[in-house]
Structures are given as C-alpha cells and as structure tokens.
Amino acid sequence: MSFAQKNEIKAIEKALKNSNFADAKSATAEAEALIGSMDDKSKAKFYLLKAQALYANGAGTDANIDEAITSLDNLKDLESKMGKLKYTQEANEMTTGMVNSFLTKANDAFTNKNYKVAAKGFEKVYRMSPKDTLYLYYAASAAVSEPDYNTALDYYVQLKNMGYSGVQMNYYATNVETGEEENFANKSSRDFSVKAKLHKDPRDEKSQSKTAEIVKNIALIYVSQGDNEKALGAMADARGENPDDIGLLLSEANVYLKMGNKEKFRSLMEEATEKDPNNAELQYNLGVLAAEGGNSEAAIKYYEKALAINPNYVDAYNNLAVVILNGEADIVEKMNNLGTSSADNKKYDELKEKRTQVYQQAIPYLEKALELKSTNVDAARTLMNIYSALGETDKFKAMRTKVEEIEASANGN
C-alpha cells in the first residue's frame, strides 16, 4: 500500500514537472483513493500536489480552483496540527500568487462590467485571505451589479453576520510639489513622507460605515423576492443595534417605498429630517412625496427648505416650477368654459392675469435651473412655451434657439 501511494504521488509530480495538468489531475484522483491509509507527511505533500494539479497555473475550471483552495487549506490545517510546517511555506507562496491573479482578473472584469466574473474572483480572494473582508464586500457589490441577487444576498448576509462595517482610517497629506492631497496606504509611510518634507498638512479621516448599505441591500433583495417580512426584519435588527444611524433610517424608508407604503415612507423621512435638519436631499424627497400626494403647498415648502440648505439644488428648482405650473391647467380649463358675455369676458381677463402671475412665479426657478445646468432641455422648453404664451417674442426666439442647441448637442450634431 505504501509503495502504491508513493508511485501515485510520483506520477503527480512527474506530470506537474512537464506541465501536463490533465495527467496530474488523473493521477491525483487515483492517489486520493489511497488517502485513508496515508501517513500525515504523505497527506501534506499530496494536498499540495493536488492543489497544483487542479489550479493548473490558473487554467483550471472554477470548480477545480475551488477544490484547489480547499486542498491548500487542508494542508495548512494538517501541518499546523502536526507542528511541522514542511510544505506550508510553499502553499503560502502558491496562495499569494493565486490571490494576486484572482484580484487582477476580478478588477479587470469589474472595469469591463463583467460583474459575474468579478464577483467570483473577489469571493475567491476573500476565501483565500479571510482577514481581507473588503473583498467579500466587493464580491457582493459585483453580484448586485450583475444582477445576481441570490449570490449577492448570500455575501451580504455573511457580511452582516460578521459585523462588517468597512470603516477604516485613511491617512492623507498634501504633495508639496503638486499641491494635491494624496491618500497613503498606511500611517507610517505618510508620516515618513511628511518628515522628509515631500508632503505636508497630514490628516486622518475615518471612512464611512457600509453597514446601512449592506442592510438596505439585504432588505431590498428580500423585497424583490416578495419576502417583505424578512426585509423588515433585517431593517429592524439593524435599527435596533444602531438607532441613531441616519443611513439605516433612510434605508428603512426606502424599503417601505419599494413596498408601496408611502405613508410609512413619509413618516420615516420626517423622522430623518428631525435628526438631520440640514440635509437638503431629505427635504427634497419629502417635497416629491407631498407633490405626488397632491399637496402643492407642502411640496413648495419642502423644496424651498432644500434650496435654503443648498442653493444650487437643480432638481429642487425644476420641481418647484412644476408644482407652481400645475395650477395652470385648472385656470385654463376655467377660461375655456367661459361664454362671451361681458361678465364672462371680465372673468376671462381676471383668469388670464392669474395665469400670468403663475408664469411669472415659475420663471425665476426655471431660469435658475437652466443657469445651473445649461443642458436642462426641459427647463428651456418650458421657458420657451411660457414666453410664447406671454407674448414675449424676443425671449421666446432666444429660448427656442437654446432648445435647438441643446437637442442638437444631445444628438451629437
């Protein structure tokens, strides 16, 4: 039996030496049948050879590479128990090479929007280096982008269960020569460069937590699968642990919106504005919700609050104008329903003046929206129509030219 084991292991070694991975794989299968009778030293060597045969210098199938990773783990566990690390160093070198290869391929795949390959690559990097939990997060993000929600959910749940937050300290300093602030890999290299006077103004900054994003994505995947109970359960767990986390609060609101529960969404958004009153986006979203509910007065109030916080909020200007102009339709309908009596003519003039006032109220918001975003064709087209209705010929012609220029640019002409 011992002789047979040695022969099979030699057969694997010979095939690997000649880069004949098919034969090496075949010899591995034959040797594996004898593993039950191998001593620990022979098992350790076998695990290394098996990993090399299945990995095939990166040419192995996904299933083979997964098995190769497992074989390397088996080797390290075995030699750790033995207290004799004969093949562990070689296994670690192989692991490093595999990790670098997987990482390069995963990054390239993600850049090329091949998210399925990227997700698998990042997951393999994480499996081979479990301390680098960031790569499991990358795998989840790639799976969502694919979209492969089942795989993404598996990764996100793993991240949630391990308490992954993604928070890390970033070390910055300004390049003396270029004046640009740069991010260093670690504190020591940043401090060394500052000491060498190559950089100045060092500062440390913690990255934002990804907990809210992870829980939100878990919940939204559950919603997409029709499992609202699990979605709300995931949010409740996270909110319970982090009751003051504004990100989690907004995520829960988003889940309710996806479920069609606008009242609960509105309630949570209002709670969020109380916690973060200087957040223009929150005020804007409440404005959208109020407008959808037909409450124009409240919508205008929220949009104005958003603009008070961020005077350059283009969408808030757009939506303010839309809400104001919504009143035009009712005025025009009343004008069209009037007769030709003197009383009706008088009423017509009153309504016409009222419509003019609506236009005049909307114009500044539309002009500001177009000033902030010169390609805003909707704002330009609305202004063109308003100027036409008001009989302001020169402004109408100028805005018509503007609309034509924007459309031509958008079409590549």
Side-chain angles (χ1 to χ4, degrees):
M1 182 67 71
S2 175
F3 181 75
Q5 291 169 8
K6 289 178 180 177
N7 273 352
E8 298 300 344
I9 288 175
K10 283 182 179 178
I12 303 171
E13 286 181 302
K14 182 179 178 181
L16 288 172
K17 190 175 181 180
N18 295 321
S19 297
N20 190 339
F21 296 109
D23 283 357
K25 193 175 164 186
S26 177
T28 297
E30 292 177 15
E32 191 138 32
L34 306 172
I35 196 169
S37 58
M38 288 185 190
D39 57 40
D40 286 343
K41 183 180 175 182
S42 297
K43 275 185 187 177
K45 185 175 184 179
F46 168 73
Y47 284 137
L48 177 63
L49 296 175
K50 178 183 177 181
Q52 292 172 341
L54 292 171
Y55 181 58
N57 283 343
T61 64
D62 275 339
N64 284 340
I65 291 174
D66 285 342
E67 200 176 343
I69 294 171
T70 300
S71 192
L72 288 173
D73 289 340
N74 289 339
L75 161 59
K76 294 171 189 176
D77 288 343
L78 177 61
E79 288 203 333
S80 178
K81 290 174 185 174
M82 290 167 59
K84 190 174 183 180
L85 310 181
K86 183 174 182 180
Y87 299 105
T88 295
Q89 183 176 344
E90 195 173 345
N92 286 337
E93 290 171 359
M94 182 177 174
T95 296
T96 300
M98 291 171 73
V99 165
N100 290 337
S101 175
F102 295 152
L103 193 52
T104 298
K105 289 177 182 177
N107 282 324
D108 289 345
F110 196 90
T111 301
N112 294 319
K113 298 184 178 180
N114 189 346
Y115 299 118
K116 186 174 182 179
V117 170
K120 285 183 178 179
F122 286 131
E123 192 269 344
K124 282 183 170 60
V125 173
Y126 165 69
R127 278 186 58 200
M128 300 197 76
S129 184
K131 69 180 188 299
D132 294 322
T133 47
L134 174 66
Y135 294 115
L136 184 60
Y137 170 77
Y138 286 160
S141 299
V144 162
S145 301
E146 169 57 16
D148 178 357
Y149 293 134
N150 288 332
T151 299
L153 180 61
D154 176 33
Y155 296 158
Y156 279 130
V157 169
Q158 288 184 56
L159 288 165
K160 178 178 177 289
N161 290 342
M162 70 174 68
Y164 175 81
S165 69
V167 174
Q168 61 181 24
M169 187 65 78
N170 291 314
Y171 302 100
Y172 297 97
T174 301
N175 188 307
V176 173
E177 187 177 337
T178 65
E180 296 289 326
E181 188 174 62
E182 296 173 355
N183 189 0
F184 287 76
N186 52 59
K187 185 177 187 299
S188 58
S189 59
R190 190 273 313 273
D191 290 348
F192 178 81
S193 190
V194 171
K195 193 174 181 180
K197 301 191 183 302
L198 297 173
H199 287 77
K200 62 180 182 178
D201 302 329
R203 69 180 182 90
D204 300 348
E205 182 179 274
K206 273 188 178 180
S207 63
Q208 288 189 333
S209 171
K210 293 180 173 65
T211 301
E213 176 197 342
I214 290 167
V215 176
K216 179 190 74 173
N217 285 342
I218 289 173
L220 291 179
I221 291 171
Y222 281 139
V223 170
S224 73
Q225 294 174 341
D227 201 336
N228 293 340
E229 190 174 330
K230 280 188 177 180
L232 295 178
M235 292 306 315
D237 288 346
R239 289 285 310 279
E241 293 175 13
N242 306 275
D244 296 323
D245 190 319
I246 191 75
L248 287 173
L249 178 56
L250 294 175
S251 295
E252 185 175 3
N254 196 19
V255 170
Y256 276 108
L257 183 62
K258 288 281 186 182
M259 289 166 56
N261 190 337
K262 290 187 177 181
E263 182 54 35
K264 185 65 176 177
F265 172 76
R266 182 192 61 77
S267 172
L268 290 170
M269 290 297 287
E270 287 183 344
E271 183 183 342
T273 59
E274 291 173 7
K275 290 179 180 291
D276 191 4
N278 294 318
N279 189 320
E281 189 174 355
L282 295 182
Q283 301 291 348
Y284 171 81
N285 285 331
L286 282 169
V288 171
L289 199 65
E292 288 178 352
N295 191 339
S296 298
E297 189 176 331
I300 289 172
K301 179 187 72 173
Y302 286 125
Y303 289 141
E304 286 178 341
K305 282 184 178 179
L307 290 172
I309 298 167
N310 178 7
N312 295 323
Y313 205 142
V314 176
D315 289 342
Y317 286 110
N318 280 331
N319 285 20
L320 250 174
V322 169
V323 172
I324 292 168
L325 291 171
N326 280 342
E328 178 199 12
D330 183 52
I331 296 171
V332 171
E333 184 180 354
K334 289 177 180 177
M335 291 169 69
N336 292 336
N337 289 335
L338 291 172
T340 56
S341 67
S342 58
D344 283 345
N345 287 338
K346 183 179 179 182
K347 184 67 175 174
Y348 182 90
D349 289 339
E350 291 174 356
L351 290 169
K352 185 177 179 182
E353 176 58 28
K354 190 175 181 181
R355 186 181 69 166
T356 298
Q357 290 174 1
V358 169
Y359 287 154
Q360 295 295 352
Q361 188 182 357
I363 284 173
Y365 297 119
L366 291 166
E367 288 179 339
K368 186 64 177 178
L370 190 58
E371 176 192 328
L372 291 170
K373 186 180 178 184
S374 61
T375 58
N376 192 336
V377 71
D378 291 332
R381 192 178 289 115
T382 303
L383 279 169
M384 179 184 74
N385 293 333
I386 288 175
Y387 292 142
S388 175
L390 292 175
E392 298 188 25
T393 307
D394 290 343
K395 288 186 176 180
F396 163 74
K397 288 180 178 178
M399 199 52 60
R400 183 177 62 185
T401 301
K402 178 71 173 174
V403 170
E404 290 170 353
E405 288 174 353
I406 294 172
E407 290 177 338
S409 177
N411 295 326
N413 297 329

